[in-house]
Amino acid sequence: MNKKTSVYVTGMGAVTPFGVGVKQLWKKLKNGESSVRRVDDRLDVSNLKTKIGSPVVNFEPSEWFDRKRARRLGRPSKFAVVAAGEALDDAEWKVERDSYDLNVGVVVGTGIGNINPLIENHKKILDRGPRRVSPFLIPQLMPNAAAAQVSIEFGFGGPNYGAVSACASGAHAIGQAFEELRLEEADMMVVGGVEAPLLEIAYAGFDKIKALSTRNDEPERASRPFDKERDGFVMGEGAGVLVLETEKGVKKRGVEPYAEIVGVGKTADAHHVTAPREDGAGAKEAMANALREGGLEPDAVDYVNAHGTSTKLNDKMETNAIKSLLGEGAYEVPVSSNKSQFGHLVGAAGSVEAIITSLSLKEGFIPPTINYENPDSECDLDYVPNEGRREDIEVALSNSFGFGGQNASILIRKV
């Protein structure tokens, strides 16, 4: 691997519970707003403990797709294609009609995948027999569907695949794209994560393991990372897509990058399928690996964009991991969780949060951890409570940790 190849973020696109577009996302984050709401109007959660979520609202596929294409794409793929389109426009990349560009690759991660077609078509089999199954079932169901559809939409023929590692999927996708560029397998990578898990079966599954918040009467206050009264995460949906290019590509096209990706660390807890290591050893090593790859020492870190799920185990573990990595210096480094504002976007979390981290570096602003009201003695770092902060930061870590013990940390530097 060519360690000297620099990789830059040159474009961003997002579909989130705050709406379509990165500008909308950033504006809401800076204002400290929450997108969490009750979901009774869209799901039958009457027999479940959790009745809240963070859905993408007012998303009209007809604004981007004709009727035929809309029928063939699952909801996650629609999110991914729209976010990719914004990211490419942002990167000033002109897509030629009927192009086939072998120098541009795509990696899109997902944690759960598009399970809704499976549910709907299983009902058809039970009610009306197998002949009623949709021909779009498999193309919509496969975990690499979003990556494939982005490739098809824009004519990108380079490396193309999905990344599947639960809540670390979006971050792992960025890591894979980072490596593809350093290996010179592509000149540009369109990369991100996507998820659309707001389904009764997903709620029931997470409900069974008591992972979700049940603060149903005050949805906006339900996601409260690092707060002593946290009681679980809030499930959301969306997509985040970044355009990554090498320094050669940036100079050739004359574009101004947002930030530089300088390292990606990946580890496994090898501990438990849903519970992280309490000491945070795996998470700590992922951050340390990212720093080693970037040639930086721990004291170079100015900010940590935390995984911060608002669950008892994760937030304590991540705090321990940051302390283990930074030592006493951990108390001087701001840490915040975007999930406090828009919930947990599962496979899309890592890519959306990498976008936010890049903007934090570029604009010198750290979004807050809202709903931080009751300090926890086991979570005692500077979590940028309740109000965002103007701060000139040069180097940041963006963390993502997934069920199964998968850990990923992205090291991002200001340009």
Side-chain angles (χ1 to χ4, degrees):
M1 181 180 292
N2 182 4
K3 292 283 187 181
K4 295 182 180 179
T5 301
S6 299
V7 175
Y8 295 93
V9 178
T10 59
M12 302 174 175
V15 176
T16 74
F18 285 130
V20 177
V22 171
K23 288 184 179 179
Q24 181 82 342
L25 168 66
W26 188 238
K27 177 183 177 182
K28 299 286 187 178
L29 287 171
K30 289 174 73 175
N31 290 340
E33 297 181 38
S34 170
S35 65
V36 182
R37 58 191 287 269
R38 289 186 70 104
V39 294
D40 312 63
D41 59 336
R42 57 184 290 153
L43 294 173
D44 181 5
V45 289
S46 56
N47 294 319
L48 298 171
K49 293 179 182 178
T50 297
K51 307 180 190 304
I52 56 175
S54 196
V56 172
V57 295
N58 300 323
F59 179 82
E60 297 296 338
S62 60
E63 294 183 22
W64 292 277
F65 308 101
D66 61 37
R67 184 177 298 179
K68 182 178 179 181
R69 185 122 170 85
R71 283 184 61 229
R72 295 184 175 188
L73 269 64
R75 187 171 174 84
S77 291
K78 290 170 186 168
F79 288 167
V81 169
V82 171
E86 182 191 10
L88 289 163
D89 286 344
D90 189 39
E92 300 176 21
W93 180 264
K94 186 177 180 180
V95 177
E96 299 293 340
R97 184 175 177 81
D98 299 322
S99 64
Y100 180 49
D101 196 330
L102 292 166
N103 296 311
V104 183
V106 181
V107 186
V108 180
T110 182
I112 296 174
N114 190 25
I115 59 175
N116 195 46
L118 179 63
I119 296 167
E120 291 179 344
N121 282 276
H122 184 246
K123 289 178 181 177
K124 287 181 181 179
I125 286 179
L126 295 179
D127 296 340
R128 303 166 68 185
R131 285 185 167 275
R132 305 306 300 179
V133 169
S134 169
F136 305 128
L137 169 59
I138 300 303
Q140 290 184 359
L141 177 66
M142 59 190 193
N144 63 312
Q149 293 294 353
V150 170
S151 168
I152 292 166
E153 182 77 14
F154 302 105
F156 297 147
N160 184 286
Y161 48 95
V164 181
S165 51
C167 310
S169 300
H172 273 138
I174 293 171
Q176 290 303 112
F178 176 74
E179 291 174 6
E180 295 283 2
L181 290 168
R182 286 196 157 186
L183 287 167
E184 299 180 351
E185 295 292 331
D187 296 331
M188 174 188 287
M189 293 296 295
V190 179
V191 57
V194 63
E195 210 75 81
L198 301 187
L199 306 166
E200 291 165 40
I201 193 167
Y203 270 85
F206 282 120
D207 202 46
K208 201 70 175 178
I209 58 175
K210 301 178 180 178
L212 300 177
S213 172
T214 57
R215 198 182 288 263
N216 300 314
D217 293 333
E218 35 188 12
E220 298 86 356
R221 301 179 64 218
S223 187
R224 44 184 54 239
F226 307 107
D227 185 90
K228 188 176 182 179
E229 301 302 320
R230 64 190 184 277
D231 71 330
F233 74 87
V234 173
M235 192 156 49
E237 62 176 352
V241 173
L242 304 89
V243 174
L244 303 185
E245 296 184 69
T246 61
E247 184 175 17
K248 180 181 177 181
V250 168
K251 289 182 177 179
K252 181 179 179 180
R253 297 202 310 115
V255 294
E256 181 182 350
Y258 285 95
E260 180 185 4
I261 308 290
V262 292
V264 180
K266 296 165 283 185
T267 64
D269 279 354
H271 171 64
H272 189 276
V273 73
T274 58
R277 285 183 175 272
E278 188 172 329
D279 62 2
K284 179 256 183 178
E285 200 58 30
M287 291 186 281
N289 287 346
L291 284 162
R292 277 192 287 270
E293 185 168 33
L296 297 175
E297 296 297 323
D299 61 7
V301 177
D302 299 314
Y303 166 56
V304 177
N305 185 293
H307 187 55
T309 58
S310 187
T311 59
K312 291 290 185 183
L313 295 180
N314 175 88
D315 296 0
K316 177 182 176 182
M317 175 281 292
E318 190 166 12
T319 297
N320 288 339
I322 293 169
K323 288 181 183 179
S324 180
L325 177 76
L326 303 180
E328 286 301 314
Y331 293 96
E332 305 300 320
V333 175
V335 178
S336 70
S337 171
N338 307 136
K339 293 180 182 69
S340 64
Q341 295 185 249
F342 53 65
H344 194 339
L345 306 189
V346 198
S351 55
V352 171
E353 289 161 18
I355 287 171
I356 295 164
T357 305
S358 298
L359 288 171
S360 291
L361 288 161
K362 184 174 179 61
E363 297 200 11
F365 183 86
I366 300 173
T369 302
I370 66 169
N371 300 321
Y372 186 82
E373 299 168 341
N374 310 287
D376 184 341
S377 61
E378 294 182 314
C379 297
D380 57 350
L381 299 178
D382 173 9
Y383 302 114
V384 193
N386 303 314
E387 291 187 7
R389 184 182 302 167
R390 287 279 172 195
E391 192 155 335
D392 187 21
I393 51 178
E394 297 288 332
V395 175
L397 286 165
S398 181
N399 289 337
S400 296
F401 312 125
F403 276 6
Q406 282 95 342
N407 306 306
S409 186
I410 305 169
L411 183 66
I412 310 175
R413 181 164 55 195
K414 183 179 179 179
V415 293

